[in-house]
Amino acid sequence: MNKILLRILRLFDGFWRRIDVNPDHLHTILEVKLKMDGRRKTAFNYQRSAQKKEVKGQDILVMVMMAFMGMGGTFILVFFEHSSSGLFMYLSLWMAILALTLISDFTDVLIDVRDNYILLPRPVGGKTLAVSRILHVLFYLTKLVIPFSIPGLIGVGIKFGPLTVLLLAFLILMSVLMTIFFVNLLYLIMLNLLSPRRFKEIINYFQIIFYAVVFLGYQILPRLIDFKVMEGNNLFTKIYLWPLPSMWLASIWDLFFYQPAQPVIYVMATIGLVTPFLAIYLVGTVLSRNFAQKMFSIGEGGNGTESSPQRKAEQHQRAQSSWATRSAQWFCSNKQERAMYELTWKMTSRSRDFKLKFYPNLIMLPVYFLLIFVFPATRGSDDALQEMQQGNMYLFGFYFSMIILISGLSMLQFSEKYKASWFYRTVPMAQPGLVLTGSFKAIIVKFYLPVYGLITLGSGLFFGWHILDDALLAFFGILAMVTGVAILTHYVLPFTKSWDEASRGGNIGFTLLTLFLAGLFGIFHYAISSFNWLVWGLIPVCALLAMLAMRQYGKTGWRYIIWE
């Protein structure tokens, strides 16, 4: 695909010379940029996003994924009897995917100004450099639009005829212009309201959302949409959908096919025709005035604020009153443990790679629980929900949440700055186990407690508050088991290994043993759940075991620590 785009670029060499752009320089710059796109790690390949191994063919992977998404959207497009409603869903899916892809994957390219250090000292004209940036974005969009739209164009051509292919191609082009406008507008709003550092953090969360949408959407949507009901449904009657840009574009299709009498369809179609061209004008004139300068400041790494002594004092005061500091005083017994607790809390908030690999688990856990346990149980009969309320399915949710604790403790040993772990050897620390317990407690309090609390709250509202004793027993039982297995298998200090080692399966023994013991204890818990007196009696026993296991884990000596 890159070779085709570059050959097309060569066809316009005469035009580039007329506008004072060096075609040879332009071709070389774009050739390098497209090659780097193929090596750049993307949200489609987030599992390897922190590895130092050279990654190739990422642009091909993106195009293949977009083609599969296009086939899924084509199924929706041709499925609806009311084709305008199908097109509305198709364009909504496309615009959402395009916006998330631009924000999550291409923002790093937009704010990366390192090529200026190489190109500006060379005899490369400023106009050539500006045109290369514009064409780079255009080529990137081309590699997204073509694979996604081809299945839809083929499906529409087969079902509705060749004229509709041209109409759909026009609407897809208009949707691209609209999406670029709204993404540009979002960038400018965030740049004006947020500091550059905070802007990068927000983009990181968009990458996490993108992963969740891509990899969980295909499992959730088919279960939530009742196609038998929606097949002949006219979504244009839903007033709450009218403000959506995809509805404006779908109104153009509706005029072409059905010539409706409702004036609102004509109004929305007019808005759909005018908005993309208005967006081009606004992006090219009003919105782009300070955009390049702000993006350059982000690429330079500036924070847009002065580091005055007063500001430093305010930041120190906020740090002292932060939730991490206060909770460390509640849950940690000494200064070493509290220091590691706070360090782990902050590192897991600032590490881009940790968030990309761990945070999706927080999204997947409730989804997979619903798909595996809840949805199958509610399809049996009309009274399935009432029957489920009388059962003990909430126990599966309690023990299923243990995945967060296991994955968090397993990922804690990896870091992109693992070489800085030399400081462990320099500090006067007699018990490295306090480092292990401090980081483990941070994972429990920061991630596991909130998720487990939400599961308990949802179970209590649905099943009744008689489940409170089961929730307490499961919580302390899980802590005792995970800590006990960590005493036997997990002696790696936090942030001491490269993410390259994360895919080697070094924690498989810890994970399997913990799941096996949790399964046995879960079966035992299920068997005694009807004996409330026994459950309440076992709660302090498990709490004591968890406390003793944590204390023993904190006594780990240097001879047990695994470095490399």
Side-chain angles (χ1 to χ4, degrees):
M1 186 67 178
N2 291 340
K3 293 181 179 179
I4 297 175
L5 293 174
L6 291 173
R7 287 176 182 173
I8 295 175
L9 179 69
R10 277 298 189 186
L11 298 177
F12 297 90
D13 283 356
F15 172 75
W16 303 129
R17 290 190 181 93
R18 280 195 294 271
I19 63 173
D20 198 23
V21 172
N22 189 311
D24 296 325
H25 292 174
L26 183 64
H27 183 274
T28 303
I29 292 172
L30 285 172
E31 184 179 10
V32 174
K33 285 180 176 289
L34 293 176
K35 186 176 293 185
M36 293 303 296
D37 283 345
R39 299 174 181 177
R40 182 171 49 87
K41 291 129 186 178
T42 68
F44 289 100
N45 196 23
Y46 91 102
Q47 288 288 358
R48 297 172 59 193
S49 62
Q51 295 184 11
K52 291 187 176 180
K53 297 178 181 178
E54 184 175 325
V55 180
K56 296 182 179 180
Q58 288 304 289
D59 51 348
I60 299 176
L61 174 63
V62 171
M63 292 176 67
V64 171
M65 292 296 296
M66 295 301 293
F68 276 110
M69 294 178 191
M71 284 187 273
T74 303
F75 174 77
I76 297 174
L77 177 60
V78 301
F79 182 80
F80 275 73
E81 291 183 3
H82 188 254
S83 61
S84 302
S85 298
L87 181 69
F88 160 71
M89 296 193 67
Y90 176 83
L91 292 177
S92 299
L93 174 67
W94 160 240
M95 295 177 74
I97 291 175
L98 179 61
L100 287 172
T101 306
L102 287 173
I103 295 173
S104 64
D105 279 344
F106 206 61
T107 301
D108 291 338
V109 177
L110 288 177
I111 65 177
D112 189 3
V113 296
R114 289 175 296 180
D115 56 351
N116 291 340
Y117 305 132
I118 301 173
L119 296 176
L120 291 181
R122 302 312 193 261
V124 178
K127 188 175 291 187
T128 301
L129 187 59
V131 172
S132 70
R133 287 185 176 274
I134 296 173
L135 289 178
H136 186 204
V137 177
L138 179 62
F139 286 174
Y140 180 83
L141 290 173
T142 301
K143 290 189 287 187
L144 296 179
V145 173
I146 291 179
F148 185 91
S149 59
I150 284 179
L153 295 173
I154 295 174
V156 165
I158 294 174
K159 184 174 181 179
F160 301 108
L163 287 179
T164 56
V165 175
L166 298 176
L167 179 59
L168 179 61
F170 172 74
L171 294 177
I172 291 176
L173 177 61
M174 301 286 273
S175 67
V176 171
L177 297 177
M178 277 192 181
T179 305
I180 293 175
F181 168 71
F182 288 115
V183 169
N184 192 293
L185 188 62
L186 177 64
Y187 277 154
L188 290 174
I189 293 174
M190 290 195 297
L191 288 171
N192 286 317
L193 298 179
L194 304 173
S195 65
R197 181 180 62 82
R198 188 61 179 166
F199 176 82
K200 290 184 177 181
E201 292 178 0
I202 295 297
I203 296 302
N204 193 21
Y205 288 116
F206 270 106
Q207 291 176 317
I208 297 171
I209 294 172
F210 178 77
Y211 166 79
V213 169
V214 171
F215 290 93
L216 294 179
Y218 77 95
Q219 291 191 4
I220 301 173
L221 290 178
R223 291 173 170 85
L224 294 181
I225 299 175
D226 190 347
F227 287 100
K228 292 182 180 179
V229 175
M230 298 188 66
E231 181 179 359
N233 197 7
N234 184 357
L235 298 180
F236 281 72
T237 60
K238 313 295 183 183
I239 299 177
Y240 55 86
L241 298 177
W242 290 354
L244 297 179
S246 52
M247 180 62 75
W248 307 339
L249 297 176
S251 299
I252 302 174
W253 180 282
D254 199 64
L255 288 178
F256 181 82
F257 267 90
Y258 301 105
Q259 293 83 39
Q262 299 94 330
V264 67
I265 303 296
Y266 290 89
V267 173
M268 289 193 295
T270 303
I271 296 175
L273 284 172
V274 173
T275 302
F277 299 102
L278 179 63
I280 294 175
Y281 172 76
L282 292 176
V283 170
T285 57
V286 180
L287 299 180
S288 62
R289 288 175 183 171
N290 299 322
F291 183 76
Q293 183 178 0
K294 290 180 179 293
M295 296 298 277
F296 184 81
S297 67
I298 291 178
E300 289 289 327
N303 56 14
T305 59
E306 294 184 0
S307 182
S308 62
Q310 181 180 2
R311 181 173 181 81
K312 289 183 178 179
E314 293 175 355
Q315 292 175 347
H316 178 71
Q317 185 177 3
R318 283 199 301 268
Q320 292 297 319
S321 61
S322 66
W323 172 246
T325 302
R326 285 182 291 173
S327 59
Q329 296 173 352
W330 298 340
F331 296 103
C332 299
S333 57
N334 56 65
K335 291 183 178 180
Q336 286 185 358
E337 199 175 45
R338 283 196 291 269
M340 198 62 212
Y341 181 99
E342 292 188 51
L343 176 64
T344 302
W345 191 291
K346 293 175 182 178
M347 286 289 290
T348 54
S349 297
R350 297 171 182 174
S351 173
R352 176 178 180 271
D353 296 302
F354 181 86
K355 288 189 286 187
L356 279 176
K357 294 175 186 298
F358 179 71
Y359 281 22
N361 293 335
L362 304 179
I363 301 173
M364 289 191 296
L365 179 69
V367 173
Y368 279 129
F369 177 72
L370 291 174
L371 297 179
I372 295 173
F373 299 109
V374 178
F375 282 162
T378 56
R379 289 188 174 185
S381 63
D382 296 336
D383 299 328
L385 284 176
Q386 296 180 358
E387 295 176 1
M388 189 170 64
Q389 284 180 320
Q390 300 173 0
N392 296 334
M393 186 172 290
Y394 54 86
L395 292 177
F396 291 101
F398 294 150
Y399 287 96
F400 201 70
S401 67
M402 188 177 61
I403 296 175
I404 292 178
L405 206 55
I406 296 174
S407 61
L409 189 59
S410 299
M411 292 182 185
L412 200 57
Q413 59 188 303
F414 304 109
S415 173
E416 60 271 26
K417 305 294 184 182
Y418 67 96
K419 291 184 179 180
S421 61
W422 57 265
F423 82 91
Y424 286 126
R425 298 179 183 267
T426 62
V427 295
M429 183 168 50
Q431 284 184 302
L434 296 176
V435 173
L436 299 174
T437 56
S439 59
F440 187 26
K441 288 178 181 179
I443 293 295
I444 294 172
V445 177
K446 184 177 182 179
F447 299 110
Y448 188 61
L449 268 179
V451 173
Y452 197 87
L454 289 175
I455 293 175
T456 303
L457 178 62
S459 300
L461 294 175
F462 185 79
F463 293 95
W465 292 107
H466 65 277
I467 57 94
L468 185 59
D469 55 344
D470 292 311
L472 292 173
L473 178 60
F475 177 75
F476 289 117
I478 288 171
L479 288 186
M481 284 183 292
V482 175
T483 310
V485 175
I487 293 174
L488 299 175
T489 62
H490 200 277
Y491 294 118
V492 181
L493 294 178
F495 317 118
T496 56
K497 288 187 175 183
S498 168
W499 282 108
D500 293 343
E501 303 180 44
S503 59
R504 298 178 185 175
N507 297 308
I508 191 68
F510 167 72
T511 303
L512 291 179
L513 183 57
T514 307
L515 292 177
F516 175 73
L517 293 177
L520 293 179
F521 189 78
I523 294 173
F524 170 73
H525 189 173
Y526 180 82
I528 67 169
S529 59
S530 57
F531 302 98
N532 292 337
W533 60 271
L534 183 56
V535 173
W536 282 108
L538 288 175
I539 290 175
V541 175
C542 289
L544 179 62
L545 289 175
M547 184 181 66
L548 293 176
M550 188 68 71
R551 183 175 299 177
Q552 183 63 34
Y553 195 32
K555 294 179 181 179
T556 303
W558 281 108
R559 60 175 178 167
Y560 297 105
I561 298 299
I562 301 173
W563 285 95
E564 294 293 343

